[in-house]
Amino acid sequence: MSDYKNDQKLKPLVGVVSDVQIIGPHIFHTSGDKYLRALSQAADVIPVVIPCLQDDQDIKQWIRRLDGVFLTGAYSMVDPKHYGEQKIDKPYDYDERRDELSFQTIRSLIEADLPLLGVCRGLQDINVALGGSLYQAVQEVPGNNDHREDKNQPLDIQYGDVHNVNVTQDGLLHRITGRTQIKVNSLHSQGINKVGEGLTVEARADDNLVEAISVDQMTFGLAVQWHPEWKVAENPIQRTIFEAFGDACRAR
Ligand SMILES: N[C@@H](CCC(=O)NCCCC(=O)O)C(=O)O
């Protein structure tokens, strides 16, 4: 029988919510290479980019064909109108269509109990979609550290580990990594203020900022504020996160 008819070899298909970027005079729907490679190499799944075409198509048309969804990081900020605040006066980029697609996808995923993994902005999307709020500039909140990267540094410095996160004992992240403390990278200006409904805090930084969450009513719903995808092949602890996500997609 031709390989094309033998569905025993099919790997899980994982949707990756895209970002909208203007390149020249045109609109593009984009996903970062490092996320797609981490899903392919560490989670051992087939990533497929979900375009921000929610005005043309029902996200359920995607959800019914997928085995999981991944929410990437992004330089854009979640629009604070989604948690009842005005934009602060910062030179931030926003991506309304990413906001909308993320929120619609998260709600559908919870309904379908499809495995979900989020990174950085992906964690923020989940928190806001479930009624939580964000600090728009974590570094300006008294008592919080500066969680931003220095964009003038080489990428290996920007994505290098810089602080510890304290993992909630016996939580999902603890069960996956086997660790109660993990050193992680940090590349974000926004961060969780009010935790959304039905979310469990899975890790906090030393300044008490929430660094990982899980979705209570999902079989596998996890998001981390750091970037485990960065050189994941060289980082066995971060690799366990992608392996666990891939296993959850395979177990569907
Ligand atoms: N813009 C948000 C989220 C930060 C984030 O996801 N940064 C990564 C961008 C580049 C990449 O995809 O690695 C914030 O600043 O809080």
Side-chain angles (χ1 to χ4, degrees), residues 26 38 49 55 64 68 72 84 94 96 114 123 140 145 210 214 218 223 240 249:
H26 300 296
V49 177
D55 36 347
R64 291 175 57 191
T72 71
Y94 295 92
E96 187 56 36
L114 208 66
L123 167 136
E140 294 179 4
N145 299 327
V210 174
S214 59
M218 298 184 82
T240 61
C249 296

Side-chain angles (χ1 to χ4, degrees), residues 100-242:
E100 288 167 356
L101 180 59
S102 269
F103 298 153
Q104 287 181 22
T105 303
I106 291 159
R107 285 190 281 270
S108 297
L109 286 170
I110 292 173
E111 201 178 304
D113 195 19
L114 208 66
L116 167 63
L117 179 60
V119 162
C120 208
R121 203 229 208 239
L123 167 136
Q124 298 167 2
D125 291 352
I126 294 167
N127 190 61
V128 173
L130 294 180
S133 68
L134 303 177
Y135 295 119
Q136 293 191 55
V138 168
Q139 64 278 3
E140 294 179 4
V141 176
N144 276 355
N145 299 327
D146 189 338
H147 287 250
R148 295 172 296 179
E149 75 278 26
D150 177 352
K151 290 189 172 68
N152 297 313
Q153 291 294 328
L155 287 181
D156 273 339
I157 302 291
Q158 291 188 48
Y159 287 85
D161 293 343
V162 288
H163 71 75
N164 288 319
V165 295
N166 304 302
V167 179
T168 303
Q169 187 84 24
D170 302 328
L172 176 59
L173 185 63
H174 182 206
R175 294 196 299 275
I176 289 171
T177 62
R179 303 287 291 270
T180 55
Q181 191 170 77
I182 307 172
K183 193 149 191 189
V184 300
N185 53 33
S186 188
L187 301 94
H188 60 106
S189 304
Q190 306 204 330
I192 290 180
N193 180 357
K194 185 185 98 174
V195 177
E197 291 299 310
L199 293 177
T200 294
V201 173
E202 295 284 342
R204 288 182 184 272
D206 287 336
D207 62 2
N208 210 38
L209 188 73
V210 174
E211 287 275 345
I213 54 177
S214 59
V215 185
D216 297 342
Q217 63 184 96
M218 298 184 82
T219 305
F220 190 101
L222 178 68
V224 298
Q225 183 64 80
W226 64 90
H227 287 267
E229 82 283 357
W230 180 257
K231 297 194 173 177
V232 65
E234 302 166 20
N235 194 324
I237 298 293
Q238 302 301 348
R239 187 182 173 88
T240 61
I241 296 171
F242 281 91

